Amino acid sequence: KIDQVSVQLGEVVAQGNFLFSLEEQGFQLQISQLRNKLMEQEALLEKNLYFLRNRDRLLEEGKIDQAMYDTLEAEVKALEAETGKLKNEIALTENRIQNTNIVAPFTGVVMEKNIVPNSSVPAGHKLLTLILTDPMVVSFEVPARDSGGITKGMSVNVFIEELGGKN
């Protein structure tokens, strides 16, 4: 979800200027849910590790059956993998929180803006288009009758309609 937007269409922004921010609340909720799930998995892993370390005695005493005895090692490995996966998801989501403030990667002009504060956007949706304007390469044709007045290194003023007619 978009939290704040500080640029307008056609605005010139300098490299490092704040463009917009994403809301952190959803990420915080996701981290909380992942941590709860991790605690459950770690508790289950600890229990199964106890059973694995003591499975011969527990089988002998009749506290576990042969089917559980046979599957304990595989269950422990699966729980270890799931625990590692949850830890990675938490780290990734924490990293996303660090990247909720989006800044201009270069000096340019906002050419497209598809976001407003407090709006939700689908994954893969283009939020903003920033174009590099320095240097800008412009290609155009000059009629032969006007070409005599053009010299190498001469300044040219270009007006771009998409930039609000800016020079």
Side-chain angles (χ1 to χ4, degrees):
K1 185 173 178 181
I2 304 299
D3 188 25
Q4 296 176 347
V5 180
S6 70
V7 294
Q8 298 301 319
L9 191 61
E11 182 178 341
V12 177
V13 294
Q15 181 176 359
N17 278 12
F18 175 76
L19 300 174
F20 65 93
S21 64
L22 303 173
E23 186 177 271
E24 287 185 26
Q25 186 177 2
F27 293 125
Q28 294 290 1
L29 178 61
Q30 187 178 7
I31 287 173
S32 177
Q33 291 169 340
L34 288 168
R35 284 186 176 146
N36 287 339
K37 190 171 181 181
L38 178 61
M39 285 175 38
E40 291 172 9
Q41 291 295 314
E42 286 177 333
L44 190 55
L45 175 60
E46 189 61 36
K47 179 186 89 167
N48 281 351
L49 280 170
Y50 170 81
F51 284 156
L52 182 62
R53 286 190 299 266
N54 297 290
R55 67 181 174 177
D56 291 332
R57 181 179 53 81
L58 293 171
L59 180 65
E60 226 175 75
E61 294 173 356
K63 295 189 177 171
I64 62 170
D65 60 15
Q66 186 65 44
M68 186 173 187
Y69 180 93
D70 294 339
T71 61
L72 272 172
E73 196 169 330
E75 283 184 40
V76 165
K77 286 182 181 181
L79 286 167
E80 287 172 337
E82 179 65 20
T83 300
K85 180 181 169 195
L86 286 168
K87 287 177 180 178
N88 286 338
E89 285 182 48
I90 290 169
L92 181 63
T93 306
E94 287 173 338
N95 187 44
R96 286 182 181 145
I97 288 176
Q98 300 301 316
N99 296 314
T100 55
N101 287 331
I102 310 303
V103 297
F106 54 84
T107 297
V109 177
V110 178
M111 285 299 294
E112 190 176 352
K113 179 182 155 198
N114 301 316
I115 53 175
V116 294
N118 300 315
S119 64
S120 294
V121 290
H125 182 76
K126 186 188 292 186
L127 307 177
L128 203 72
T129 300
L130 186 65
I131 63 164
L132 186 65
T133 57
D134 187 19
M136 180 179 278
V137 176
V138 179
S139 177
F140 54 90
E141 293 181 13
V142 176
R145 67 181 177 275
D146 296 329
S147 65
I150 298 175
T151 60
K152 185 176 180 178
M154 182 179 190
S155 293
V156 177
N157 288 327
V158 178
F159 295 92
I160 302 174
E161 215 172 284
E162 288 82 3
L163 296 178
K166 290 185 180 175
N167 189 352

